[in-house]
Amino acid sequence: MKTRCWLLATLLLAGCAEPDKAVTRATEDHRFALSLEVEKNWLHPGEILPMRVRVESLVGPLEHSLVDTLKLLVNNGALAPQQLVVAFAGTADSAAVGVASVYENWVIFQASPRATPQNQGEIEALFQDAQATLKIRITPLAESL
């Protein structure tokens, strides 16, 4: 009987895995990597969380400039801003403006004040054909426990 209890407890804990604090996905052609990163993976309803957004050229500096939009979608919360303009300066373009091979910026996620612990915040980032999803656990306030 003890063995069954331990097995059941182990299975329950394994099913309650914490969301990751960072996710990275590459484009299909493996030219770019898209990353989302936060310092903590949980919030109380209504709280805010800064998130680092990073797009890296996996082939180093590009020969020709590239300007593209990174779109951000969210559920159980709000984001500011909801899109970023990613600009890579090309080595062949003498007047190009942008980063050489790594673009970074910050966005702010705010958990919905009406979110419950059964809900989960999800932030989706889309850059070219790469899609990265970061999940944020929403926990109850201490006085509601």
Side-chain angles (χ1 to χ4, degrees):
M1 184 67 176
K2 267 187 174 180
T3 306
R4 286 186 191 171
C5 288
W6 280 109
L7 181 60
L8 181 59
T10 303
L11 289 173
L12 287 173
L13 289 175
C16 298
E18 288 293 310
D20 293 327
K21 292 181 183 178
V23 293
T24 301
R25 299 291 181 265
T27 55
E28 284 184 21
D29 59 7
H30 298 286
R31 291 184 64 212
F32 299 98
L34 168 62
S35 301
L36 307 175
E37 181 181 353
V38 291
E39 286 195 19
K40 63 180 187 177
N41 56 2
W42 61 272
L43 286 177
H44 297 299
E47 287 185 335
I48 63 169
L49 181 65
M51 179 181 67
R52 182 187 326 225
V53 178
R54 178 182 168 113
V55 177
E56 180 178 1
S57 169
L58 299 175
V59 296
L62 303 177
E63 182 178 353
H64 298 285
S65 297
L66 172 75
V67 177
D68 207 340
T69 302
L70 185 149
K71 296 178 184 171
L72 297 158
L73 308 168
V74 66
N75 70 4
N76 292 319
L79 279 176
Q82 295 180 338
Q83 67 180 21
L84 300 168
V85 176
V86 178
F88 288 99
T91 57
D93 301 331
S94 61
V97 177
V99 298
S101 58
V102 177
Y103 170 87
E104 283 189 349
N105 211 331
W106 291 87
V107 298
I108 302 295
F109 171 74
Q110 182 173 18
S112 171
R114 292 182 287 278
T116 65
Q118 292 78 24
N119 294 336
Q120 175 172 269
E122 290 185 351
I123 304 161
E124 267 188 59
L126 307 166
F127 180 75
Q128 296 190 346
D129 60 8
Q131 177 180 344
T133 303
L134 184 71
K135 298 178 181 187
I136 307 295
R137 186 169 44 94
I138 299 174
T139 63
L141 296 170
E143 64 265 8
S144 66
L145 292 176

